[in-house]
Amino acid sequence: MAARDSKQESLLKIEDLWVSVEGKDILKGVNLAINKGEVHAIMGRNGSGKSTLSYTLMGHPRYRINRGSIIFKGEEIGDLPPNDRAKMGLALAFQYPVAIPGVSVSNFLRASVKSVRGQEIPVKEFRQELKAQMALLEVKDEFLSRYINDGFSGGEKKRLEILQMTMLKPALAVLDETDSGLDIDALKVVSTGINTLATKETAVLLITHYQRILNYVKPDFVHVFQSGQIVKTGGSELSEELEERGYDWVTQELTPSGVA
Amino acid sequence: MGEKVKMIAKERVDEITRQTAEPAWLKDSRLKAFESYLKTPTPCNRDENWHRTEVDALDLAALNVIVSDSKEKQAGKEPEVITQAFAHLGKKLPYIYTTPQNVEIGNADSELLSKGVIFCSLKTALTQHADLLNKYLSAQDLSKPDFAHDDKFYLMNQSLFNCGAFLYVPKNVSLDSPVLNVFTSGEETSIAVFPRVIIIVEQGAKAEFVNISTSAKSKKSEKSALSLINSSIGTLVGHGASLYYLDVSDFSTNTFAVSRVYNEVKKDAALHSSTVALGGWQIKSDIQTNLKEPGAKSDIRGVVLGAGSERYSFNTIQDHIAPDTASTINFRVALKDSSSSAYLGTIRVSKEGQRTDSTQSNKNLLLGSDAHADSIPKLEILADDVKCSHGATVGPADKEQIFYLMSRGMDNLEAEELIVQGFFRQVVQSCPVDGAGDWINTLVAEKIHSENPNV
């Protein structure tokens, strides 16, 4: 487990974050701190608000922050548009990435990398880097000439998300249910991608409701998410305990009477 | 130097005829057209065909008709618009560059000349190739579009056309790269210009033609100084011949651009036409294609990118006159701000038009919250053994797509650029001219990133 240095400023610091969607409160006081290079997993049932947290971090206009703050690299980002957050080094791998017909993956990747890095990269250099990452994720060349997520299988969509993360090299990659819908082979490949991504330079926030991806990606911290809050935090052993005992165990532990 | 003469009047016909020393048959046809023009009422936006235009805002009496007596001359410095086109099309091509004052020709290709290809200004054609023109402009061909009878603007053009281009490709001759015709009204305002383009591709021949129409960009719309650019384009694709025609227009916000395109496609011939409309106060364009003989095929495509308060009105007519003909139409319209578009697509199949195969598609992408698009398909089918399909969609840009692209660092306009290029892709990528797709994408990106012309 990475040691927390109290003097070091966190990469991401979320304090008492309350978020609503169309008038309904979804996040109810989230607190979370992530330091440079750490891997955090947030686990929780469907509907517990995990995806709301990821969309809010990236700045989706549908999500309204009512209270609290999101400090990224020492700056409040709650009011910034998504592209400014991306340029600061925040990236989101979507659970359900949209299809954009007519826009090829290669054009899109070039435009993204150019925007995030703030400069044009020479074509040859870009190609080399891309080919290396594609090999790692076992992505075929023909992928590049296809349109973004258009007619992609679930597995292909997730690979494209991770491929983007490895090309964008963010300071913090938020991976929203990147493991869902993957068969075991695809899960291994995607996990390899995540492990390459998680370096000293890139912290990872892995959002999932299954323990199984954590067999391949070892988190430094595991948080249990329930009813719009983080209710329990531990090391990687916590995920195994959850797998064994289920989310109800956390619920019961939190309820003094032992009745959920 | 072009001489400015007030008002559209019969005297203008006389002046034009006198200056060019035109043959008598042409003068007769001009005068006849002018008579019909006088009898034809000015259209209004209640007419189905002029739906969503503001034709009433154009004061015909305030326009200065340019009666130019300039002779064509060898080009001096290559105009910027042409340099930009060449950069994308990959090489220097023969071109004609027409302004209200001048006609310049550049990069004339002596090899084409030796094969009998004629590419010259219309004025030159009228004096040097009058008989050839007469053959095609007479009752036989290029004289039967719907708008010949009752369209005031078409009749206006037919009586007053005073500039333009002529391409003639003789039997079995192939042009491997396009020729370029550019018209620009430059900085002039309150003028009326009547360009006419005639393209004849004879039996077994092959040609590519790029037509660019433009004007200097003005910062804001001045309705008091509107200009009218009223063009007609006639193409004849002979037996077994093929023509690729690319039309790119980008006018200032005080230009009212009307164009009438009439295509005739003969036995086993193929016409591919792509229209790219990028700006103007109002654009009103009719494209009629007559599939006159068995085996004739046409593929008519268009992309329209509106911004500010621009108005577009496109009307396509596919006329399947003979049996065993095929046509496809694919028009894509993207509208920013409060721009608007009305598309009217007619498929017509005569009693003789058995085994017609025709598809028509019009899709509209609304980027601006005040943008508006109408799409009206019309089928008039008299034969009983035909395949006809049509589809139209109108919808706003997908906010999730914008968010996805912005989450990858792109700003709103960069996201819009990718989405619009993707939306246009199916139409743009099919351009048979090398480099045309890239060129169109660049023009689209430029317009998306330019300041709102006239909000």
Side-chain angles (χ1 to χ4, degrees), chain A:
Chain A
M1 202 189 291
R4 273 184 200 272
D5 182 349
S6 58
K7 282 175 206 155
Q8 185 200 341
E9 197 177 66
S10 298
L11 174 67
L12 175 77
K13 198 166 174 58
I14 302 174
E15 280 184 325
D16 192 28
L17 185 68
W18 288 70
V19 173
S20 62
V21 181
E22 285 150 15
K24 191 171 176 248
D25 282 333
I26 308 285
L27 300 188
K28 299 165 185 171
V30 175
N31 292 289
L32 177 66
I34 296 177
N35 293 316
K36 207 174 152 185
E38 290 177 352
V39 176
H40 288 239
I42 288 187
M43 301 186 70
R45 285 199 186 90
N46 278 333
S48 56
K50 304 187 303 292
S51 287
T52 298
L53 179 63
S54 66
Y55 275 126
T56 306
L57 285 174
M58 204 65 238
H60 193 292
R62 217 161 70 91
Y63 298 83
R64 205 188 127 120
I65 298 175
N66 298 314
R67 208 161 94 193
S69 62
I70 308 170
I71 311 286
F72 183 63
K73 290 186 168 172
E75 198 182 319
E76 169 63 58
I77 60 168
D79 290 330
L80 295 181
N83 51 320
D84 286 355
R85 302 182 195 204
K87 285 179 179 165
M88 286 174 73
L90 185 63
L92 168 64
F94 286 67
Q95 182 180 6
Y96 302 113
V98 286
I100 310 183
V103 181
S104 72
V105 167
S106 66
N107 273 353
F108 165 59
L109 287 175
R110 277 209 73 185
S112 315
V113 170
K114 183 185 156 201
S115 296
V116 167
R117 296 190 193 170
Q119 59 180 23
E120 194 97 49
I121 331 141
V123 179
K124 211 176 146 196
E125 203 177 295
F126 174 75
R127 282 267 155 184
Q128 277 175 358
E129 199 179 328
L130 185 57
K131 293 277 169 180
Q133 302 296 351
M134 284 169 66
L136 187 77
L137 289 166
E138 298 178 16
V139 165
K140 290 193 197 109
D141 275 7
E142 53 105 29
F143 213 67
L144 294 178
S145 54
R146 290 170 67 186
Y147 299 148
I148 305 171
N149 295 315
D150 194 21
F152 279 32
S153 70
E156 286 173 330
K157 286 182 186 169
K158 297 302 167 75
R159 278 178 213 226
L160 177 56
E161 289 304 291
I162 297 301
L163 178 62
Q164 291 176 61
M165 296 300 117
T166 59
M167 290 301 291
L168 296 174
K169 298 187 174 48
L172 174 62
V174 180
L175 312 181
D176 190 0
E177 307 248 355
T178 298
D179 53 334
S180 66
L182 295 182
D183 61 33
I184 193 73
D185 292 334
L187 183 67
K188 279 182 188 166
V189 172
V190 165
S191 300
T192 309
I194 298 173
N195 284 327
T196 343
L197 183 66
T199 57
K200 273 194 292 190
E201 299 309 315
T202 300
V204 171
L205 176 60
L206 191 67
I207 294 176
T208 181
H209 64 272
Y210 290 122
Q211 190 270 341
R212 60 173 194 163
I213 193 173
L214 304 182
N215 294 332
Y216 305 99
V217 180
K218 286 288 163 211
D220 301 310
F221 298 96
V222 173
H223 310 275
V224 181
F225 209 80
Q226 220 163 68
S227 312
Q229 281 182 328
I230 287 172
V231 293
K232 193 175 175 66
T233 294
S236 63
E237 73 287 346
L238 179 57
S239 72
E240 286 151 30
E241 206 162 349
L242 277 172
E243 176 75 0
E244 235 168 75
R245 304 174 65 177
Y247 288 112
D248 284 344
W249 156 70
V250 181
T251 317
Q252 282 162 11
E253 201 181 49
L254 288 169
T255 316
S257 65
V259 180

